[in-house]
Amino acid sequence: MNLRSDTRQNLQMKLDFRTEAKGEAPKPGPEATESLRAASEPESPARTDRLMEVVCEQGNLKEAVRRVKANKGSAGVDGITVDQLTDYLKQHWPAIGAQLLEGTYQPRPVRRVEIPKPDGGVRKLGIPTVLDRFVQQAVMQVLQRQWDPTFSNHSYGFRPQRSAQQAVARAQQNISDGFRWVVDLDLEKFFDRVNHDKLMGQIAKRVEDKRLLKLIRAFLNAGVMENGLVSPSVEGTPQGGPLSPLLSNLVLDELDRELERRGHRFARYADDCNIYVRSEQAGRRVMESITRFITEQLKLKVNEKKSAVARPQQRKFLGFSFTDGPELRRAIAPKALDRFKDRIREITCRAKGVRIESTIKELARYLVGWRGYFGFCETPEVLVYLTGWVRLRLRCALWRQWKTARRRRAALIELGVRPVLASNTAGSGRGPWYLSRSKAVSVGLSNAYFKSLGLPSLSRRLLA
């Protein structure tokens, strides 16, 4: 590799980072365009020996910067923040680009953090440095364009133009077609157990660029910093880096192909995989044989406690469940409803000493995101109920804020409640939850009042 021929390109990249423009990224140059075209043809592995040039192409890098900044996130072990990334690249890109093209780039260890799981326990996340996230993002964009068209149509996680809602819809279609038993597979600590050698072997079948293979191996082996100490990483793809989801899909593509070979109906989203069969007996046979395949071929482990053969209505899939009865409908799983209420309680309990506008602003962010995901359900009555329940929580919070009977009476009158009704309600010895349903509080703190403060509805029926 002659690095002198790339000096102009590296210097130009520095200028491009300095004058980062909004809108479309610059178009690839002729050489990079040809490399990208070749890389997008998975049937021609011999054309994947210069993928690093595509990774370092200006348009790809600018898109990587945009994505990393949009995803935000914490700083890694070096303390550099997302907001500092552009300035850092302006100064250091020629050296970084040279390291990538030479195959000498060395990632830093990831910073280990633990976040609680909804069903108990903790999930370990690895936070790479912002620079490493940028490099991973640039690599992921190129490999995803090459690999994604080869993945199974039954795979929905971390893929362009695919979503969890599509996976749930596929599951619903399988049930409607008469496959009324589900083999619900849970892979135990999947991201922590991926075998590096096996994974690199799969990548090498698709990538011939030795520099890129060395770089991916370096990311896998970067190590973990926890409590100031660095420990080696001998297996797993730490959750938290942009490259990890793509690598996980590559690992599980082998499972998808085996299920397709056997003619099974299934839907997979990352490590959540549901296989649909016609009988309980068939389900038990599939559970046994697929567990053996996962253990022996993928070198992974099935969590027997969380996996089961059952009716789909008895299980949850990506936060959704399915209703009983002649009309099969998508519903929100009970545990997802419990988590929703816990989060609303957490926000509204903090409202005691906070302006209601601030509380509603925080609620609105959560509600809009939650509605964007769970609004896909086919049980609108639940969304109507939850919207009303959130308002009751806010009425309780305001009632506690007002504290005394005198202040409560004055607040209700100011909100348009008749003085006699306001006096009777303010002097009541009932608790906040009971009074949140009272006529005076419902009139004063009406649905229109909360809407005027920016509280969104979860139900499309109430949005009209």
Side-chain angles (χ1 to χ4, degrees):
M1 179 70 192
N2 186 357
L3 286 180
R4 290 184 180 179
S5 64
D6 292 297
T7 302
R8 290 184 182 177
Q9 184 184 16
N10 287 336
L11 292 175
Q12 185 60 45
M13 287 176 190
K14 180 178 180 181
L15 292 175
D16 280 348
F17 283 125
R18 187 182 301 278
T19 58
E20 184 176 349
K22 296 180 180 178
E24 286 192 18
K27 294 182 178 180
E31 182 181 351
T33 301
E34 174 62 23
S35 298
L36 183 58
R37 184 190 64 78
S40 66
E41 299 178 11
E43 299 302 322
S44 304
R47 298 185 179 186
T48 63
D49 60 345
R50 290 181 63 81
L51 284 179
M52 192 62 82
E53 279 72 20
V54 186
V55 170
C56 293
E57 198 277 322
Q58 296 174 32
N60 187 58
L61 296 173
K62 290 175 79 70
E63 176 63 11
V65 170
R66 188 187 70 79
R67 291 286 182 89
V68 170
K69 293 175 74 172
N71 291 336
K72 302 184 187 299
S74 304
V77 296
D78 60 359
I80 296 175
T81 66
V82 170
D83 292 335
Q84 296 171 315
L85 176 60
T86 302
D87 288 339
Y88 187 87
L89 289 173
K90 288 177 187 176
Q91 183 177 355
H92 298 285
W93 172 250
I96 297 168
Q99 291 171 8
L100 290 171
L101 292 169
E102 283 183 316
T104 59
Y105 182 88
Q106 283 297 320
R108 301 287 298 274
V110 300
R111 182 166 65 87
R112 170 62 54 81
V113 296
E114 295 181 348
I115 60 173
K117 290 184 178 180
D119 54 352
V122 294
R123 175 178 287 111
K124 294 183 178 182
L125 295 183
I127 302 179
T129 65
V130 173
L131 178 60
D132 285 343
R133 295 209 295 269
F134 159 71
V135 174
Q136 283 194 38
Q137 180 69 35
V139 171
M140 186 277 290
Q141 289 167 181
V142 171
L143 295 183
Q144 187 173 64
R145 287 193 291 268
Q146 179 193 5
W147 295 354
D148 192 76
T150 73
F151 288 155
S152 168
N153 285 332
H154 301 272
S155 166
Y156 295 91
F158 311 118
R159 297 183 62 188
Q161 312 303 319
R162 287 176 171 257
S163 67
Q165 287 91 338
Q166 290 175 334
V168 173
R170 171 64 71 94
Q172 184 179 15
Q173 185 61 55
N174 289 335
I175 301 167
S176 297
D177 289 344
F179 296 82
R180 298 185 177 273
W181 286 86
V182 63
V183 180
D184 187 355
L185 287 171
D186 183 274
L187 299 181
E188 186 173 300
K189 297 182 179 178
F190 166 70
F191 287 94
D192 297 331
R193 293 184 181 274
V194 172
N195 182 283
H196 286 181
D197 291 336
K198 184 171 178 58
L199 172 58
M200 290 305 303
Q202 289 176 279
I203 297 172
K205 293 177 183 178
R206 297 168 176 254
V207 173
E208 287 196 331
D209 193 319
K210 302 299 184 184
R211 299 161 299 172
L212 190 53
L213 291 172
K214 183 179 177 182
L215 177 64
I216 295 173
R217 172 72 83 167
F219 276 123
L220 293 174
N221 295 337
V224 175
M225 178 175 284
E226 198 168 9
N227 299 321
L229 299 176
V230 176
S231 56
S233 45
V234 295
E235 64 178 0
T237 59
Q239 296 182 73
L243 194 54
S244 182
L246 179 63
L247 297 182
S248 71
N249 271 334
L250 181 62
V251 170
L252 293 176
D253 186 60
E254 193 172 343
L255 172 62
D256 296 340
R257 298 307 176 190
E258 178 65 16
L259 292 174
E260 288 177 343
R261 188 185 67 80
R262 299 184 185 191
H264 287 311
R265 297 282 195 105
F266 70 99
R268 183 178 66 79
Y269 188 96
D271 56 337
D272 285 325
C273 184
N274 278 4
I275 309 166
Y276 295 87
V277 295
R278 293 189 183 275
S279 69
E280 183 178 10
Q281 185 178 6
R284 297 198 181 284
R285 284 199 306 269
V286 170
M287 174 67 83
E288 182 181 350
S289 62
I290 291 299
T291 297
R292 187 165 56 249
F293 174 84
I294 290 172
T295 303
E296 295 176 359
Q297 299 298 319
L298 303 186
K299 309 302 182 186
L300 298 171
K301 185 176 181 180
V302 173
N303 188 329
E304 296 182 3
K305 291 182 179 179
K306 293 185 177 181
S307 301
V309 176
R311 294 288 191 181
Q313 292 82 358
Q314 299 170 346
R315 307 294 292 179
K316 62 179 179 67
F317 184 46
L318 303 176
F320 289 89
S321 60
F322 299 98
T323 59
D324 279 313
E327 185 183 358
L328 184 70
R329 295 191 298 167
R330 297 184 296 269
I332 303 170
K335 285 187 178 180
L337 292 175
D338 291 341
R339 289 196 294 271
F340 172 85
K341 287 190 170 184
D342 287 343
R343 180 63 176 143
I344 298 301
R345 289 189 185 101
E346 179 187 338
I347 295 172
T348 52
C349 281
R350 294 200 302 265
K352 186 175 181 180
V354 180
R355 286 174 56 84
I356 191 64
E357 292 83 0
S358 298
T359 299
I360 288 180
K361 186 176 180 180
E362 184 177 1
L363 277 173
R365 286 195 297 268
Y366 178 71
L367 293 175
V368 169
W370 195 89
R371 183 181 68 198
Y373 186 84
F374 286 104
F376 181 65
C377 75
E378 295 174 322
T379 51
E381 63 276 8
V382 174
L383 301 180
V384 173
Y385 159 73
L386 291 175
T387 300
W389 185 84
V390 171
R391 294 194 192 106
L392 290 176
R393 291 291 309 178
L394 284 169
R395 288 174 184 135
C396 282
L398 281 167
W399 192 256
R400 290 190 179 97
Q401 273 191 12
W402 295 336
K403 293 184 179 179
T404 66
R406 182 177 178 180
R407 288 182 61 189
R408 287 167 178 169
R409 177 181 182 277
L412 289 173
I413 291 174
E414 185 178 349
L415 289 166
V417 179
R418 289 183 293 107
V420 173
L421 182 58
S423 297
N424 291 339
T425 306
S428 172
R430 298 279 191 172
W433 186 247
Y434 180 89
L435 291 174
S436 66
R437 294 176 170 84
S438 68
K439 182 177 180 181
V441 176
S442 297
V443 169
L445 301 174
S446 64
N447 297 354
Y449 170 77
F450 288 123
K451 185 176 180 180
S452 71
L453 294 179
L455 183 70
S457 169
L458 295 173
S459 170
R460 291 185 177 87
R461 183 190 305 171
L462 298 178
L463 290 175

